[in-house]
Amino acid sequence: MDKSADPCVDFYQYTCGGWMKGNPIPSDQPRWDVYRKLGQDNQRYLWGILEKLAKETKGRNATQAKIGDYFAACMDEAAVEKLGAAPLKPYLDRIEALKSRKELPALLGSLHLATADDGLFFGFGSDQDYSNSTQVIAFASSGGLGLPDRDYYLKDDDKSKEIRAKYLAHVAKMFELLGDAPDAAQANAQRVMEMETALAKASLTRVERRDPYKLFHKMDLKGLQALTPGFDWREYLKAAGLRQLNTFNVTEPAFYQELERQWHSRSIDDIKTYLRWHMAADHAQLLSSAFVNENFNFYAKQLRGVPELRPRWKRCVALVDRQLGEALGQEFVSRAFSPQLKQRTLHMTRQIEKAMEDDIKSLAWMSEPTKKRALEKLRTIVNKIGYPDKWRDYGSVKVKRDDFVGNVERATLFESRRQLAKIGKPLDRGEWGMTPPTVNAYYNPQMNDINFPAGVLQPPLFDAKMDDAPNYGNTGGTIGHELTHGFDDQGRQFDAQGNLKDWWTREDAKEFTDRAQCIVDQYKQYTVVDEIKINSELTQGEDIADLGGLILAWMAWKTQTEGAKLADRDGLTPEQRFFVGYAQWACENNRPENQRVHAMTDPHSPGKYRVNGLVVNMPEFTQAFSCKPGQPMVSERRCRVW
Ligand SMILES: [Zn+2]
């Protein structure tokens, strides 16, 4: 804390000033905050486990052998260096062999399996049908960009122009690393830029994408084919290992019409150039240091201001977590997560759900029919705490101790196929979207579940040795936050079953929108960095969840401590410690370059406003710190949605 600051003037400085001073950003990080620091502690812990499993090969079970050997292969930097760009060659050869547009679907189908992301022209995967959440269907989405957002290609300010120039130079350097002469590399980078800019123009903005109706265009194969007449989807599906499909959600049809224009108007050489760049970018981190460093130089150093590359062990632990996360997660959970902790968290979660029930029942602005539906949705929410009931089976992923890139490729293929295999099948409600060591949490509107991995239920966030006040402020606030996501601008559009279905009366929807607008108007006045303000249309869901979450946590804490005589500690009242406990998860230091990236891409407001923007709306805070009207942490016009 910074006790020299006045909590009624700048509560964030008061609670986080000491942390910010004592925790400068490490040279390999774009930002530093309480979550990331705990994430690094978890990583270090996993490093110890993995090193042991990599060295002592006797007595390991099959799962331990898999992650141990994977880690050993990843850490063998000399072997990686020796291979240079060789692991890319099979892909580049296939791209080079492309002779006509007719062959493009088959080529893309196989390259998409090998990359498992949306970097090559578009994304293709599986997700729940918005209109029938029990079924999984194919999703064809936008993609194909090398910069973090469409706006990077289209904005006209000096900083955006500067980043585009640096990106162009980076793409050219990557072509040079692939063997192109400097002139050709420049020209090729230029062509990539032109194609990506065309795709960026045809993509929806992040704010537009908050509206699920804008992303829901269910069609049959004929409908999809009509968007891209020159691209034979049967060939694509065959190459991706899929049998005939006839149900697709094309999230952005206009994007696919632009794809057709690009594929039709560009030369085969241009298409090959574009594919070479994206395959190289996709694989860069797996190749020799020339590629790793060039990739780091643009995406971390120039874009986010990071001075130094992360040491190899951190990159390898992160890769195991990404590719074999539920195998590594078993090791983590067995050591760092107890059944008692699970029970305590569940207890707190149920109290917060009860608080939301009371809150909904007491709302003056909502009519009975909508309340009934809201309560039905609330009661249907599934609480997932710690780790999945059933661990993912990685049995078919072959891992070799001396084949780092091969291991990564096989695990990527496993994940691509696993995702595609869900299509046409009923939903697996037990699946998790985060691995157990992850320091984060989420709500999924289609699953209608809240998820708290073991990694986030640890000190200094949840501390079993501390009393209720800071724990309810901190972890309670997080649980309330995820719960409130079920009822934010996006979540409220899905019903109890996770279907996109309007269950609001027209009047109640208007009441909600007016209240959300209060938050939008409040947060748009806050500055992220330099002249850039918060894009509060983008952050409104998170800002609504922050406020609603802490109100619920407060109610739950009052229930928990009813009738108890709570003592002051460290010169603070229990109420003050509740708010300090909340605010201290949000302490952060951030680099200005990275703040710019966040302003454009991150739906979360900066930590400072997740604290100060919230407490000004809570009369309980004003009272706890005896703040006076007119002071900065007292708002004249309080917002409240939930
Ligand atoms: Zn959130």
Side-chain angles (χ1 to χ4, degrees):
M1 295 176 72
D2 172 5
K3 292 274 185 74
S4 73
D6 182 340
C8 297
V9 172
D10 184 347
F11 188 56
Y12 178 74
Q13 178 62 35
Y14 173 76
T15 50
C16 286
W19 191 96
M20 290 190 286
K21 212 171 150 197
N23 291 277
I25 309 172
S27 59
D28 64 348
Q29 299 292 326
R31 68 190 270 191
W32 202 230
D33 54 45
V34 173
Y35 269 53
R36 277 181 176 253
K37 193 175 171 186
L38 177 55
Q40 182 167 288
D41 290 346
N42 286 354
Q43 261 201 333
R44 207 174 276 280
Y45 187 67
L46 294 169
W47 182 25
I49 295 171
L50 285 167
E51 272 221 317
K52 200 157 171 282
L53 291 174
K55 279 189 190 125
E56 293 166 21
T57 53
K58 271 199 198 109
R60 302 182 302 182
N61 65 33
T63 305
Q64 292 170 331
K66 196 152 279 183
I67 54 178
D69 289 346
Y70 183 103
F71 187 73
C74 183
M75 288 303 287
D76 188 353
E77 202 159 10
V80 172
E81 205 57 37
K82 221 165 96 184
L83 284 173
L88 253 186
K89 189 154 187 307
Y91 302 108
L92 298 180
D93 287 349
R94 265 144 79 191
I95 292 167
E96 191 46 46
L98 184 75
K99 284 186 198 66
S100 70
R101 286 177 182 80
K102 272 186 100 143
E103 293 172 354
L104 182 62
L107 176 62
L108 263 185
S110 72
L111 293 181
H112 277 173
L113 276 184
T115 52
D117 63 28
D118 61 5
L120 289 86
F121 286 122
F122 61 88
F124 193 89
S126 64
D127 210 337
Q128 284 167 268
D129 184 343
Y130 282 171
S131 61
N132 177 5
S133 68
T134 63
Q135 289 298 309
V136 179
I137 59 171
F139 269 57
S141 58
S142 63
L145 308 181
L147 285 165
D149 189 86
R150 71 185 288 284
D151 288 356
Y152 278 97
Y153 296 88
L154 309 175
K155 286 179 78 169
D156 226 21
D157 59 289
D158 289 346
K159 280 276 180 196
S160 300
K161 284 183 193 160
E162 184 191 324
I163 286 172
R164 281 201 292 276
K166 286 175 173 164
Y167 177 61
L168 205 58
H170 165 62
V171 178
K173 272 187 199 141
M174 290 290 280
F175 278 122
E176 284 190 49
L177 289 175
L178 296 181
D180 292 8
D183 284 358
Q186 288 287 344
N188 284 339
Q190 192 59 52
R191 282 191 286 178
V192 166
M193 190 61 137
E194 286 164 17
M195 291 172 80
E196 289 185 359
T197 304
L199 298 183
K201 274 187 194 149
S203 305
L204 294 181
T205 66
R206 278 175 202 263
V207 171
E208 287 167 334
R209 274 192 237 143
R210 290 192 69 74
D211 178 355
Y213 289 98
K214 288 204 168 90
L215 297 176
F216 188 41
H217 310 278
K218 209 165 145 180
M219 54 184 80
D220 59 13
L221 184 61
K222 234 171 104 184
L224 173 59
Q225 196 58 69
L227 290 171
T228 60
F231 186 89
D232 188 340
W233 283 92
R234 283 169 210 274
E235 292 296 321
Y236 174 85
L237 295 173
K238 206 163 83 186
L242 290 162
R243 280 171 297 143
Q244 231 29 262
L245 299 181
N246 206 27
T247 307
F248 304 87
N249 177 28
V250 181
T251 59
E252 299 180 37
F255 176 86
Y256 279 80
Q257 288 168 326
E258 181 57 36
L259 270 181
E260 170 73 15
R261 272 192 289 279
Q262 290 297 312
W263 289 332
H264 186 75
S265 63
R266 297 279 167 183
S267 69
I268 292 293
D269 268 352
D270 284 0
I271 292 172
K272 281 155 72 163
T273 298
Y274 172 92
L275 292 175
R276 278 170 70 218
W277 148 244
H278 276 284
M279 268 322 286
D282 181 84
H283 256 55
Q285 296 184 68
L286 312 178
L287 305 175
S288 58
S289 53
F291 286 89
V292 171
N293 292 337
E294 180 52 40
N295 185 71
F296 164 80
N297 188 48
F298 177 71
Y299 284 107
K301 197 176 218 167
Q302 294 179 336
L303 199 55
R304 296 177 183 271
V306 185
E308 269 179 54
L309 180 67
R310 284 178 299 162
R312 192 161 186 93
W313 73 263
K314 283 191 193 175
R315 287 177 278 147
C316 288
V317 172
L319 259 181
V320 184
D321 181 54
R322 184 177 347 138
Q323 295 213 290
L324 303 169
E326 291 194 11
L328 182 59
Q330 294 177 39
E331 300 299 315
F332 182 76
V333 164
S334 70
R335 293 167 174 85
F337 193 68
S338 67
Q340 292 88 322
L341 183 52
K342 188 165 178 160
Q343 278 316 310
R344 267 188 85 169
T345 312
L346 200 58
H347 172 69
M348 198 190 273
T349 305
R350 289 190 179 132
Q351 280 178 329
I352 288 165
E353 284 166 347
K354 176 67 173 59
M356 184 156 224
E357 187 178 326
D358 296 343
D359 173 58
I360 290 171
K361 283 179 180 163
S362 74
L363 289 178
W365 57 268
M366 189 184 265
S367 70
E368 286 307 320
T370 308
K371 277 185 184 177
K372 198 169 155 257
R373 301 266 176 71
L375 290 170
E376 185 193 334
K377 174 163 180 168
L378 175 65
R379 289 179 191 131
T380 317
I381 288 176
V382 174
N383 305 320
K384 290 179 174 170
I385 292 164
Y387 54 93
D389 291 336
K390 191 170 170 288
W391 294 107
R392 189 169 299 157
D393 177 9
Y394 297 101
S396 64
V397 183
K398 194 162 184 196
V399 170
K400 298 182 191 167
R401 265 186 95 82
D402 58 354
D403 186 12
F404 165 57
V405 180
N407 293 339
V408 175
E409 289 177 334
R410 284 185 290 274
T412 305
L413 265 179
F414 169 84
E415 179 59 15
S416 299
R417 293 201 173 112
R418 195 181 72 81
Q419 291 295 346
L420 296 177
K422 296 180 195 170
I423 298 173
K425 299 211 182 83
L427 176 71
D428 170 10
R429 292 216 171 253
E431 194 177 350
W432 280 63
M434 282 178 186
T435 65
T438 305
V439 184
N440 210 340
Y442 71 97
Y443 168 78
N444 180 334
Q446 289 170 275
M447 294 271 244
N448 199 24
D449 62 6
I450 47 177
N451 302 258
F452 305 96
V456 80
L457 300 168
Q458 297 189 86
L461 300 174
F462 183 85
D463 193 338
K465 290 195 206 73
M466 295 279 264
D467 57 312
D468 287 326
N471 279 331
Y472 275 75
N474 193 321
T475 298
T478 305
I479 295 169
H481 172 105
E482 301 309 339
L483 198 59
T484 307
H485 271 317
F487 303 87
D488 70 11
D489 61 314
Q490 286 182 309
R492 76 173 190 89
Q493 306 197 57
F494 293 83
D495 69 8
Q497 281 69 45
N499 294 319
L500 183 57
K501 198 171 164 191
D502 192 357
W503 45 271
W504 295 65
T505 66
R506 191 192 298 256
E507 296 74 32
D508 292 336
K510 166 95 173 55
E511 293 285 344
F512 174 89
T513 314
D514 288 349
R515 281 167 176 76
Q517 191 61 43
C518 179
I519 300 269
V520 171
D521 292 341
Q522 180 196 342
Y523 280 77
K524 75 177 178 201
Q525 300 177 31
Y526 298 138
T527 300
V528 182
V529 61
D530 300 335
E531 77 292 354
I532 304 178
K533 303 274 188 211
I534 292 179
N535 179 359
S536 61
E537 297 275 350
L538 178 63
T539 62
Q540 64 170 307
E542 297 298 337
D543 300 330
I544 290 170
D546 280 343
L547 177 58
L550 200 61
I551 290 173
L552 296 178
W554 177 274
M555 291 165 73
W557 176 56
K558 286 289 158 191
T559 307
Q560 170 74 8
T561 55
E562 209 179 342
K565 182 105 185 68
L566 303 178
D568 290 3
R569 273 202 205 181
D570 309 323
L572 297 171
T573 67
E575 284 75 15
Q576 290 172 338
R577 291 175 67 248
F578 173 90
F579 283 105
V580 170
Y582 168 75
Q584 287 190 337
W585 73 260
C587 306
E588 68 179 13
N589 285 308
N590 209 340
R591 299 184 192 279
E593 295 90 340
N594 193 51
Q595 285 172 320
R596 287 181 170 272
V597 177
H598 276 272
M600 219 185 286
T601 60
D602 192 345
H604 302 90
S605 295
K608 178 175 176 181
Y609 299 110
R610 297 187 72 176
V611 173
N612 287 353
L614 187 159
V615 297
V616 296
N617 287 321
M618 283 185 74
E620 295 87 348
F621 173 83
T622 309
Q623 209 184 345
F625 286 92
S626 308
C627 299
K628 307 271 174 311
Q631 287 193 289
M633 294 295 104
V634 182
S635 177
E636 278 170 35
R637 182 183 169 231
R638 286 198 176 106
C639 300
R640 178 164 177 181
V641 183
W642 294 105

